[in-house]
Amino acid sequence: MEDEQKQFTGGLNMEEQAKEDADERNFNLDTLGGFWGDYVPKHEEWIIPTMEVKNQLKVNSCVCEAVAAQKEKDEGVVLSPGYLGSYLAQKGKMNRTGTSIQSAMKVVIDRGIAEESVVPTNHDTFEEFSSPRNLTVAGKENASAHRNLSFWTTRNLNTVLEQLDNGRICVTGLHWKQAYSTASLLRPSPEEIRFGHAVVLIGYKLNHNGQKVLVFQNSWGLGYGDAGKFYILFSEFSQLITFNQYFVLDIPKDVASWLSLHASKAIKERNGPKCYAIIGNEKRWITNEAILLMTGYTLTDLIEDKENHLSLIKEGEPVTIADIPPEVQSVWREAMRLIPYPPIQEIFRKTLTQ
């Protein structure tokens, strides 16, 4: 077993990843989240299926494996980690010790990922994995059909759970330790860090032997852990998951930049009366003034969509009283009793009695 443990490979450049996680230009997913308090998961058990469990074998390619697994879930076809690695190596962004998540995510925006059937991945050596021979004309053309529009980051468990419920898996990373190589449930360990490792977060279980756990997919084949998966307790998430979580929302980059600049604002449509909250990758109509105030916005938070960016964002369900936690509703009931302004009182009365 000791010999097998020594063969486990990683490939997440921890120093570079820490720098990129701190990049203020990252689009922050927390600004597009829900409203208050702890997010309540929608399922007892929720695991988003991927196309396959990757196996990086002898190569420090975990980042490429994880990013490919994330993208192919949306594409419905197996994609080539080797194509990613070849392009990263050509650009000087990957060597035999690995790369960073953000470097690989940027490649998927700029170039895409070729399908495995077009550019087969070779894990025999790093040189074969990242060979410039993989960057064929056919591969480039095929990769262009599998591109992302933008990626968003978070370290907030509530945001992570909400995005999982939205059907989005994420790429993230941690400091890997010896004890983790033979465990299905990872726990904090005082052991020395062996390497940085990128993995895919694919779901959660609210009753895994009586505990709430997040479910991760590794890239060491089906023989590792629980058929290629391992678990981390909700309560120990921030202790073990050391780096940012990267989600793909496929919002165009110019729109993503605009949303990031106007975080926590309610947005009034151009040439129309409706105001929207942006939650995840959806715009959700705020149905009246009472809902606007109860969701934490004020008139000073309201901006007009002069560039018509809202037209490029998918429309979700309206924000209604059902989205407002009961404790918040109670606070506003008392507040309206004390505010002697009949028009606003009437709006709140009708909204709170729906």
Side-chain angles (χ1 to χ4, degrees), residues 85-219:
S86 298
Y87 190 73
L88 285 163
Q90 183 188 64
K91 295 298 182 182
K93 293 292 186 179
M94 183 176 184
N95 56 36
R96 60 175 56 254
T97 63
T99 185
S100 66
I101 297 171
Q102 190 158 308
S103 293
M105 298 292 280
K106 287 179 177 177
V107 171
V108 187
I109 290 174
D110 296 339
R111 192 177 180 100
I113 315 179
E115 295 172 21
E116 183 70 23
S117 61
V118 177
V119 181
T121 300
N122 186 326
H123 289 102
D124 288 342
T125 65
F126 173 72
E127 288 70 27
E128 290 291 336
F129 177 83
S130 61
S131 171
R133 296 191 302 273
N134 294 329
L135 302 176
T136 62
V137 174
K140 180 179 180 180
E141 181 178 344
N142 182 261
S144 67
H146 305 296
R147 297 172 64 185
N148 291 331
L149 297 179
S150 61
F151 61 80
W152 298 72
T153 65
T154 184
R155 286 200 184 184
N156 186 304
L157 178 58
N158 289 316
T159 303
V160 166
L161 291 169
E162 184 175 31
Q163 288 305 312
L164 288 170
D165 276 342
N166 289 341
R168 296 283 180 177
I169 65 177
C170 84
V171 178
T172 188
L174 68 162
H175 294 140
W176 199 263
K177 301 184 178 182
Q178 181 68 40
Y180 304 163
S181 298
T182 55
S184 293
L185 177 66
L186 274 55
R187 305 296 306 276
S189 167
E191 292 180 335
E192 186 177 324
I193 298 168
R194 294 189 64 204
F195 47 74
H197 194 42
V199 293
V200 184
L201 174 52
I202 61 172
Y204 59 82
K205 296 182 179 183
L206 300 185
N207 185 9
H208 179 70
N209 299 324
Q211 298 175 305
K212 295 180 180 180
V213 298
L214 293 155
V215 183
F216 295 81
Q217 181 172 294
N218 213 324
S219 51

Side-chain angles (χ1 to χ4, degrees), residues 271-331:
N271 302 324
K274 289 186 175 181
C275 293
Y276 289 88
I278 306 299
I279 302 176
N281 62 336
E282 296 182 334
K283 60 184 179 187
R284 295 182 60 186
W285 174 37
I286 302 172
T287 49
N288 62 42
E289 295 95 327
I291 297 294
L292 178 75
L293 293 173
M294 284 190 285
T295 52
Y297 299 114
T298 68
L299 292 179
T300 59
D301 297 322
L302 190 63
I303 63 169
E304 186 173 356
D305 180 23
K306 295 179 180 179
E307 294 84 10
N308 201 27
H309 285 310
L310 284 172
S311 65
L312 301 176
I313 301 174
K314 179 174 68 174
E315 184 144 7
E317 295 294 321
V319 181
T320 69
I321 192 65
D323 294 293
I324 311 300
E327 60 271 21
V328 176
Q329 295 183 37
S330 297
V331 169

Side-chain angles (χ1 to χ4, degrees), residues 25-81:
R25 295 171 296 178
N26 286 340
F27 299 140
N28 183 357
L29 187 55
D30 300 326
T31 63
L32 305 183
F35 297 120
W36 311 265
D38 290 337
Y39 177 78
V40 179
K42 296 179 179 178
H43 309 275
E44 183 74 14
E45 180 174 319
W46 180 246
I47 299 176
I48 301 167
T50 58
M51 293 295 296
E52 65 177 13
V53 175
K54 304 292 186 184
N55 194 340
Q56 64 190 88
L57 297 174
K58 303 175 184 178
V59 182
N60 285 312
S61 59
C62 61
V63 172
C64 297
E65 314 293 337
V67 170
Q70 180 190 51
K71 181 60 176 171
E72 65 192 22
K73 176 263 170 188
D74 290 332
E75 302 296 284
V77 63
V78 176
L79 299 173
S80 171

Side-chain angles (χ1 to χ4, degrees), residues 14-32:
M14 294 181 285
E15 183 177 352
E16 189 64 24
Q17 187 61 46
K19 291 179 184 177
E20 294 181 348
D21 280 354
D23 191 335
E24 293 182 354
R25 295 171 296 178
N26 286 340
F27 299 140
N28 183 357
L29 187 55
D30 300 326
T31 63
L32 305 183

